[in-house]
Amino acid sequence: MGNWAFAAAFAGGLVLVGGFILHQVRQIRHSRLGGNGSIAGLVLALYVSVLFFAKVYDSLAVGRQAVIVGLSTKTDALYFSLSVASTTGFGDVHAVSQLARGVVIVQMAFNVGFVGVVLASVRRIVSAWTASPVDPAPSSPDRLAHLGGRSRVDAPAEDTHGAHSPRRFHE
């Protein structure tokens, strides 16, 4: 495959993988509480991106000498893609040609963006899980009944900054 054909296939693959990741992120943003399905979708997107880059590295190395040192099998390509994705970089397999180094740079940038999106999505999921409607402390005996018989020990106290100290309850 010529360099232009490779570049076009690479760009098309990036668009597809990036679109898949964006689709997963949109599903998280539109879901109420995120959930295991959303996290599974992001993990699947990570797998797809690693496999995509492994295929790219394998395609680069086929029939070319001194493109990626140490890469001679599909397993080597997967190993190299995972080491770049995990930022481990053992050094036994490494890019030598400018084209291969460019692809590695794109994968690094892609992974940084992917990790940012994943962290933001996981934060949203965790926030949705931990957010619960909290009723303010009861101000009358009638409202105390919903606490299951717990009584308020300390009334809110003003501190030096005007904020309330935490309320404590005992059973």
Side-chain angles (χ1 to χ4, degrees), residues 61 64-69 94-98 100:
R64 297 184 179 143
Q65 296 297 321
V67 173
I68 302 176
V69 171
H94 59 277
V96 178
S97 75
Q98 295 302 303

Side-chain angles (χ1 to χ4, degrees), residues 4-58:
W4 287 108
F6 176 82
F10 181 59
L14 277 178
V15 168
L16 287 174
V17 172
F20 180 66
I21 291 169
L22 288 176
H23 173 71
Q24 295 302 320
V25 170
R26 284 189 186 121
Q27 280 189 328
I28 289 172
R29 290 196 176 158
H30 294 304
S31 69
R32 239 174 168 234
L33 294 176
N36 292 335
S38 300
I39 293 173
L42 289 173
V43 170
L44 178 63
L46 175 63
Y47 289 156
V48 167
S49 69
V50 166
L51 290 173
F52 167 72
F53 280 102
K55 180 59 180 164
V56 169
Y57 296 133
D58 184 55

Side-chain angles (χ1 to χ4, degrees), residues 3 6 56-57 59-71 80 93-106 108:
N3 284 346
F6 176 82
V56 169
Y57 296 133
S59 297
L60 274 175
V62 170
R64 297 184 179 143
Q65 296 297 321
V67 173
I68 302 176
V69 171
L71 196 149
F80 182 58
V93 180
H94 59 277
V96 178
S97 75
Q98 295 302 303
L99 178 60
R101 287 180 179 179
V103 172
V104 171
I105 289 168
V106 169
M108 287 181 205

Side-chain angles (χ1 to χ4, degrees), residues 25 56 88 119 140:
V25 170
V56 169
T88 305
L119 289 176
S140 69

Side-chain angles (χ1 to χ4, degrees), residues 73-103:
T73 66
K74 289 182 183 348
T75 303
D76 292 338
L78 180 60
Y79 168 80
F80 182 58
S81 180
L82 279 170
S83 71
V84 172
S86 66
T87 68
T88 305
F90 297 109
D92 54 342
V93 180
H94 59 277
V96 178
S97 75
Q98 295 302 303
L99 178 60
R101 287 180 179 179
V103 172

